[in-house]
Amino acid sequence: MDSGISLRSVTADESHGFKPRRSPRVVIEGETELSPHKLYKIEVTVRNVSALGFMAECSEPVRIGSYVSLDIPGIGPVNAQVRWQIGVRMGGMFVDPISLARCDWTATEAD
């Protein structure tokens, strides 16, 4: 897993006209594994993450509404529900919110 990750926050203006998000998303490029139904693992690239959910690129279809486990560096496996999938992109909502301060993708180093 690559630790050289660039970060930036996504503003409501960048949400392409959709209603503002309840939790700010941080744009990342993090490689990890997604496990549908805990039966097998799929390599995914997480493109953004918030305390409430994520958007990732996934080469295999994952059923909308299904529950998955996303391995988040610094936190470990996190349960989520797949909310949408269009082509290779998919979005999920965490069952329980996560702490971005504990996430290796978004945590900032102390000076």
Side-chain angles (χ1 to χ4, degrees):
M1 312 272 164
D2 185 14
S3 61
I5 297 172
S6 63
L7 305 174
R8 80 176 173 85
S9 294
V10 177
T11 65
D13 293 337
E14 297 174 8
S15 64
H16 306 292
F18 294 107
K19 64 182 177 181
R21 298 205 178 268
R22 293 184 297 161
S23 180
R25 294 197 174 236
V26 178
V27 174
I28 61 169
E29 188 168 333
E31 302 291 323
T32 193
E33 293 179 333
L34 180 85
S35 179
H37 310 292
K38 299 186 183 188
L39 299 174
Y40 56 95
K41 293 182 180 190
I42 302 169
E43 293 289 323
V44 297
T45 301
V46 176
R47 297 296 183 186
N48 67 50
V49 67
S50 75
L52 301 175
F54 68 96
M55 191 271 286
E57 291 183 355
C58 176
S59 62
E60 297 184 36
V62 181
R63 186 181 185 130
I64 295 170
S66 66
Y67 287 90
V68 297
S69 178
L70 182 71
D71 188 23
I72 300 178
I75 297 175
V78 176
N79 294 323
Q81 183 182 37
V82 176
R83 303 299 290 209
W84 60 270
Q85 184 166 32
I86 301 172
V88 298
R89 293 193 174 218
M90 52 104 46
M93 181 177 76
F94 298 128
V95 172
D96 294 309
I98 65 167
S99 168
L100 294 182
R102 291 184 49 217
C103 175
D104 288 352
W105 289 326
T106 59
T108 58
E109 293 183 23
D111 292 333

